[in-house]
Each structure stands twice: as structure tokens, then as C-alpha cells.
Amino acid sequence: MNVCHRGLLRFTRGPPRLTPHNFTPTPTYSSLITRKQLNSFYQRTKHTTALTGLRVAKAPLDTLKYLYDKIILELSKLPEEAKYRQYTHQIISERLAIVESSSSVDEAEVRLGSGQLEEVIEQAENELKLVKQMKEWEPWQPLMQSPPSKQWDWPLN
């Protein structure tokens, strides 16, 4: 083995062989983590969502509770007779109850049935934006002009 001028190692006769002098024994089994402990660790720690651009949430249940509470607060600012408010409030209230009663992330994901909690968080963030836009757009107001006749007829004749 030679050292070239850049400080890198260069093997002239191939890589070095293990001999009793340069061999480090593996640690004993008692000092290694057991497979059961390793599986338990990986079940509690999520490293990736496996979805490009979607990061793992640090506290997904708390985040969802906060977002759902915020959505309900924003919905309360819409008129009570607005169908969007009624249906969205019903859905969000059901989801909030599931999140509050879930003891783990896995349980919440199964009970919500909407994929990973990171995806549900993204949906809740988008719904919160939509509630604010609906307040601005006021779709519950009467139409400015009446719709054309046969607008909702199907099939077209």
C-alpha cells in the first residue's frame, strides 16, 4: 500500500487482508439491541411518509386538533343557513372526535381512513384556506341574475 501525492491510499496488490492483528471481533449478543426492541423503536418513530414533498409531522394529533378547532372557529363566522358551513362543520366535528379519542397515530389513521395523518393535515390546511375564501366569496348570497332555462337538464337535447 502506498500513499499518493494527494494523501489518498493506493493499493498496489489489492485491498488489505484481515489478519488476527487487524481483526476486530463483533460485540457479544448481550450488548446488541434485540430485534424486538428495534421493531418497537421503528414502530414508534416514523422516518418518512414515502410521499415526495410530504414531510413527517412531529406531533400530528396535536396539529390536527389545532387545525380542526381553527376550521370550526372560522366556520362559525359564516351564516348558519349556509350549506357549506353545515356540511363542513359536521365532517370536521366527526374527524375531531376521532382524533381526540385516538390514543396513537396508527389508530387515528385507521379510524379516519384518509391515508397518513400528514396527508390529513394537508387536507385540513387546505380546508382552512377554503373556509376563509368562502367567507370572502359569499356563495350563499342569491344569484345576481337568474340561470338560463334548462341549465341543469341532462342529457342535452
Side-chain angles (χ1 to χ4, degrees):
M1 177 169 46
N2 298 332
V3 177
C4 65
H5 69 281
R6 293 187 187 130
L8 301 174
L9 296 178
R10 185 178 67 191
F11 300 107
T12 53
R13 295 185 186 146
R17 292 197 169 98
L18 291 177
T19 63
H21 301 291
N22 67 1
F23 178 74
T24 306
T26 58
T28 61
Y29 182 74
S30 62
S31 65
L32 293 175
I33 188 169
T34 65
R35 182 172 297 281
K36 185 177 180 182
Q37 291 170 327
L38 186 64
N39 286 341
S40 173
F41 172 75
Y42 279 114
Q43 287 175 355
R44 285 184 271 128
T45 307
K46 188 174 184 179
H47 298 284
T48 179
T49 61
L51 298 171
T52 304
L54 191 60
R55 293 185 176 185
V56 176
K58 293 184 180 179
L61 293 175
D62 294 334
T63 304
L64 272 176
K65 287 177 190 175
Y66 171 78
L67 286 170
Y68 286 156
D69 285 337
K70 186 98 170 148
I71 290 170
I72 290 173
L73 179 68
E74 289 295 322
L75 284 172
S76 67
K77 297 175 184 175
L78 301 181
E80 288 184 20
E81 65 275 356
K83 296 298 181 188
Y84 174 76
R85 173 186 172 164
Q86 295 170 4
Y87 297 131
T88 305
H89 190 278
Q90 178 186 357
I91 293 168
I92 297 299
S93 297
E94 290 171 3
R95 288 177 165 231
L96 180 60
I98 290 171
V99 169
E100 288 177 339
S101 66
S102 296
S103 59
S104 70
V105 170
D106 295 331
E107 180 186 350
E109 286 178 352
V110 170
R111 291 180 60 199
L112 284 172
S114 297
Q116 298 180 38
L117 285 188
E118 287 81 3
E119 294 174 281
V120 179
I121 289 170
E122 192 170 295
Q123 293 169 4
E125 289 169 345
N126 290 337
E127 191 66 45
L128 182 59
K129 290 177 190 174
L130 181 60
V131 171
K132 292 176 181 179
Q133 288 178 339
M134 292 294 252
K135 187 169 50 172
E136 179 185 328
W137 293 336
E138 299 180 344
W140 50 84
Q141 295 292 333
L143 295 175
M144 295 175 81
Q145 51 184 291
S146 60
S149 63
K150 299 186 180 182
Q151 176 176 348
W152 305 111
D153 292 346
W154 185 258
L156 297 175
N157 294 329

